[in-house]
Amino acid sequence: MAQPLMPHATASWLVDNTALSFEQIADFCGLHILEVQAIADDTAGTKLTGRDPVRAHELTMEQIEKGQADPDYRLQMTKGPEQVRRTKGPRYTPVSKRQDKPDGIAWIIRNHPEISDGTISNLIGTTRTTIAAIRDRTHWNIANIVPKDPVTLGLTTQRELDAAVAKAAKASGVEQAPTDHRLEGDREALIEQLRAERQQAARDAEAAGDEDAGGLGFVDPFRH
């Protein structure tokens, strides 16, 4: 059976917001009932932020109500439009890497200030509010944020980052600044000059060799 995109976060929300049994929640989320018990008791390894499966179009309120009325009712995953559009929205980041997001955001802000907050949001999978807080240094954990390459952290790919940098640079005209086409002509001319000098030197050396050979040709080897 299909499972929610974020089973632990979904289980956390269902525990806090419904009267479903732990068994029903565990069955729907694909978890062991003891995991759900741990989430309910706040003894899980990480404090989870609940994810509403109704807003995510993974479950309907009708099903929740049926489940609350009948402990034997099995919740069914709903394939809604949110899942179809997911590739166009903010990227999903595994729970284990979410703590690295602020470091990745800080790195982009420091090294590529031309990239907009909207692009960073899509690139890292975060909110503009979080980006603004890091940019303004008002983030609650700003003292512990250390800029780190988001590619190294596994938050995005090098290709996606390069594309975002190139797009932002083109939009702001940054890429035009370092390029001075006037130097290209000088460089080509210098190369051509050096090539001509090298060829002339080769011709001179060849001519000198011919003269030496010609001069030696008049020497009588039997004259003593």
Side-chain angles (χ1 to χ4, degrees), residues 164-191:
V165 171
K167 184 176 180 180
K170 182 177 181 180
S172 61
V174 172
E175 84 283 7
Q176 298 174 0
T179 305
D180 189 348
H181 295 287
R182 294 174 302 174
L183 297 177
E184 292 180 1
D186 294 341
R187 181 173 178 273
E188 291 299 327
L190 178 59
I191 292 174

Side-chain angles (χ1 to χ4, degrees), residues 64-217:
I64 291 177
E65 290 170 0
K66 287 182 180 179
Q68 291 176 145
D70 179 9
D72 295 325
Y73 179 78
R74 290 168 61 89
L75 302 171
Q76 298 295 321
M77 184 79 167
T78 301
K79 294 182 179 179
E82 183 68 20
Q83 291 181 323
V84 176
R85 296 194 304 264
R86 184 164 302 281
T87 54
K88 297 182 180 178
R91 73 172 62 243
Y92 168 70
T93 306
V95 176
S96 61
K97 292 184 180 297
R98 288 180 200 173
Q99 61 186 6
D100 297 329
K101 283 187 177 184
D103 293 344
I105 295 168
W107 186 93
I108 294 177
I109 291 174
R110 185 187 68 182
N111 293 281
H112 298 288
E114 71 277 10
I115 296 182
S116 68
D117 288 0
T119 301
I120 296 175
S121 177
N122 292 331
L123 201 62
I124 302 294
T126 186
T127 64
R128 295 183 184 229
T129 301
T130 299
I131 298 170
I134 295 175
R135 190 185 295 278
D136 300 337
R137 300 191 65 78
T138 57
H139 190 277
W140 66 273
N141 196 35
I142 192 65
N144 297 315
I145 294 177
V146 179
K148 295 178 183 176
D149 187 341
V151 175
T152 303
L153 293 174
L155 298 173
T156 187
T157 65
Q158 189 64 55
R159 177 178 296 180
E160 290 173 324
L161 179 60
D162 290 345
V165 171
K167 184 176 180 180
K170 182 177 181 180
S172 61
V174 172
E175 84 283 7
Q176 298 174 0
T179 305
D180 189 348
H181 295 287
R182 294 174 302 174
L183 297 177
E184 292 180 1
D186 294 341
R187 181 173 178 273
E188 291 299 327
L190 178 59
I191 292 174
E192 189 61 32
Q193 180 181 346
L194 291 173
R195 184 181 294 116
E197 290 177 356
R198 190 180 301 114
Q199 292 174 348
Q200 185 60 48
R203 286 195 294 269
D204 291 345
E206 184 178 353
D210 290 343
E211 290 179 1
D212 291 341
L216 290 172

Side-chain angles (χ1 to χ4, degrees), residues 30-52:
L31 303 174
H32 192 282
I33 191 170
L34 293 180
E35 291 182 271
V36 179
Q37 178 71 57
I39 291 172
D41 293 342
D42 287 338
T43 57
T46 308
K47 177 61 179 174
L48 298 171
T49 299
R51 180 174 184 271
D52 185 349

